[in-house]
Amino acid sequence: MVGKILIVDDVATNRIVMKVRLTAAGYTPLLAADGASGLKIALTEAPDLILLELSLPDMPGLGLLERLRAESALRHVPIVVCSPLLDTPARCAAFRAGADDFLQKPLDDQSLMARIRSFMRARDEVEGFSPHQDGIAMLGLAEAPATFYQPGVIALITQRSEVALKLRRDMAPHLNDRVLAMTAEEAISEGVNPSAAPDVFLIETDFNGPGSGLRLMSELRSRTHTRHAAFCVQSSHGAASGGAAVGAAVAFDLGAHDQVAFGITAEELALRLARLMLRKREADGIRASVQDGLRLAMIDSLTGLHNRRYGMAQLAAIADISRRSGQEFAVMVVDLGRFKSVNDRWGHAAGDAVLIEVAERLNRNLRVGDLLARIGGEEFLIALPETSLSDARGIAERLCHAIEETNVQIGDLAALHVTVSIGLASSGDATALCVKDSLAALINRADRALLYAKSSGRNQVTISRTAA
């Protein structure tokens, strides 16, 4: 969980003390005495977190905050404003400028370190990926900046429903998102539609007994439909109370993303929740981008079929199941006849159209559970689990007929007569298919059968001589 933390503070003593604290906790502190050097260090060192004092000698702290947020490379970096200021307008101005938290000086060591740990955990929760991690953007795994979001959903869970209703009414002028008053039972219900699950929860921490709100938060973080939500906990007692909630440090270490005291103004609370909503959406975007990248790593982008790498992995799994169950399976290698002449005469766009149509026809004529992958320019791999050689031959002949029976229309240019040749091999005469070489031998037999089919006139099915 280590990371680089930039400290922007014009007081040397403050910088030194903070450097000692962070170094002892295993972080790498970066120090800046003014706004200009802070901005330069932030752009060159790519910190994981910025601690910003508002009083700077060369520029207003809010001005620096706005400049930091204007940099695309720093858009996702959490910024915590540290200031002795107490007035609500100053705090609200900081959140509007892009602050993720506002901590009052003097800072409490335990709460500060817990807050830092919270931000570092949030960074690591996004599958270990950062939008600016080396190589991620180059691979297309970083999300594009979003210009428009549908309103999100904020759930308020309090001991008394009238408290939640009042909060919703008071925050309405400051929020664009939907705000719902919700019971704990409704929040943890397994019947909640995942697509309609709240994005952000505000949970009163001490209703129905000390710590029960934190237990609810932990429960929600373990549920599939709410585990990626953002959580803000609110003490139900005044800050002056000796037992003010369970403590900010405990709340952050249990997974809270923000913590507020009882009596916070509706405007500041709304700004905090809006900031949590933004960070939650950014994290969702990164996760979605990574998932799309992983999916595309298994898919042939032209035909939408599985690619060679995924096809071979799935074929190995089919072979392993066959070995354990004792049921045979069949493998086909399919080749599109005289495909080079299509590209040479009509161009690559026409060739792509033929490949797409052939892939669709093959897919339509296979069963659920059969494997179809594009393994070369005009070659396809098919695996038929729990299929005898005679049944596989019937399927292969049906595939040949499905390709040949209807010409492929190439726009307004022509209707091309297309055929395929198929080499077929069965696992029935193979042994020890758990061994990689034996599976490779099975594919090789299907490939040799394909060569024979092509040399014998094409548009036919040939069975591996060993299996025949």
Side-chain angles (χ1 to χ4, degrees), residues 3-9 15 19 22 27-32 41-42 44-49 51:
K4 294 186 289 186
I5 299 178
L6 172 60
I7 305 159
V8 184
D9 196 313
R15 297 195 301 273
K19 177 181 179 180
L22 296 177
Y27 300 105
T28 301
L30 308 170
L31 308 182
I41 294 173
T44 57
E45 295 292 335
D48 298 288
L49 176 69
L51 300 177

Side-chain angles (χ1 to χ4, degrees), residues 43-97:
L43 290 172
T44 57
E45 295 292 335
D48 298 288
L49 176 69
I50 299 174
L51 300 177
L52 174 63
E53 164 62 54
L54 289 182
S55 299
L56 298 174
D58 58 338
M59 68 176 71
L62 290 182
L64 174 59
L65 179 53
E66 291 172 348
R67 293 182 64 178
L68 289 169
R69 283 291 176 235
E71 296 289 341
S72 59
L74 302 173
R75 185 162 55 95
H76 297 272
V77 178
I79 301 177
V80 178
V81 171
C82 305
S83 174
L85 295 176
L86 287 173
D87 59 298
T88 297
R91 300 169 68 90
C92 290
F95 285 111
R96 288 196 191 91

Side-chain angles (χ1 to χ4, degrees), residues 33 42 77 118 165 185 187 231 262 265 328 331 334 352 407 444:
V77 178
S118 173
L165 294 174
E185 290 73 19
F231 293 89
F262 179 79
T265 66
E328 61 183 301
V331 172
V334 182
D352 288 349
N407 291 344
N444 190 45

